[in-house]
Amino acid sequence: QVQLVESGGGLVQPGGSLRLSCVASGSLSSIEAMAWYRQAPGNQRELVAAITRVGGTNYAGSVKGRFTISRDNAKNTVFLQMNSLKPEDTAVYYCFATTRINTYWGQGTQVTVSS
């Protein structure tokens, strides 16, 4: 089992920055990759960024160059640094982890970009 707890969401003006954190606990050695997803009202949940066990990363085209996913293995934490935020980035952001046999989700954290 893996538990995920997100933090760092909030209200920010367009052009601003936020850093999301996701602390993982449980069977950490079984995690193959972690990711951030987001879901805006009326939309499907979409992949924002992912990072593998060995540090490979992947980004949605809409956030490439603005968002950075990283991990601190010593703290069992994955980060999402979000810069140059736009109103269309407004969504609930979810942390995600996958093992060979299971997937896990955090509870989500709200990010609102508005003036």
Side-chain angles (χ1 to χ4, degrees), residues 92-115:
V92 177
Y93 284 71
Y94 296 91
C95 184
F96 169 88
T98 182
T99 67
R100 290 189 179 184
I101 58 174
N102 273 320
T103 59
Y104 301 91
W105 294 93
Q107 82 285 355
T109 185
Q110 177 70 46
V111 172
T112 302
V113 185
S114 174
S115 55

Side-chain angles (χ1 to χ4, degrees), residues 9 14-16 26-27 38 51 56-58 70 80-81 88 94-95 98 108 113:
S27 301
R38 68 185 180 187
I51 187 165
T57 58
N58 185 44
S70 62
L80 185 68
Q81 178 67 43
E88 51 263 43
Y94 296 91
C95 184
T98 182
V113 185

Side-chain angles (χ1 to χ4, degrees), residues 4-92:
L4 304 171
V5 179
E6 305 104 328
S7 61
L11 173 64
V12 63
Q13 293 186 343
S17 298
L18 280 176
R19 188 174 82 156
L20 305 183
S21 300
C22 173
V23 179
S25 61
S27 301
L28 301 178
S29 62
S30 64
I31 295 176
E32 297 290 321
M34 296 185 70
W36 289 94
Y37 282 74
R38 68 185 180 187
Q39 187 168 19
N43 290 357
Q44 291 187 337
R45 194 170 295 190
E46 63 175 359
L47 177 67
V48 177
I51 187 165
T52 68
R53 176 195 290 270
V54 296
T57 58
N58 185 44
Y59 295 92
S62 60
V63 307
K64 197 170 294 185
R66 300 188 297 123
F67 291 11
T68 303
I69 189 169
S70 62
R71 63 194 301 167
D72 183 336
N73 291 331
K75 297 181 179 180
N76 302 322
T77 302
V78 172
F79 303 99
L80 185 68
Q81 178 67 43
M82 305 186 293
N83 298 329
S84 302
L85 283 160
K86 305 176 181 179
E88 51 263 43
D89 294 317
T90 295
V92 177

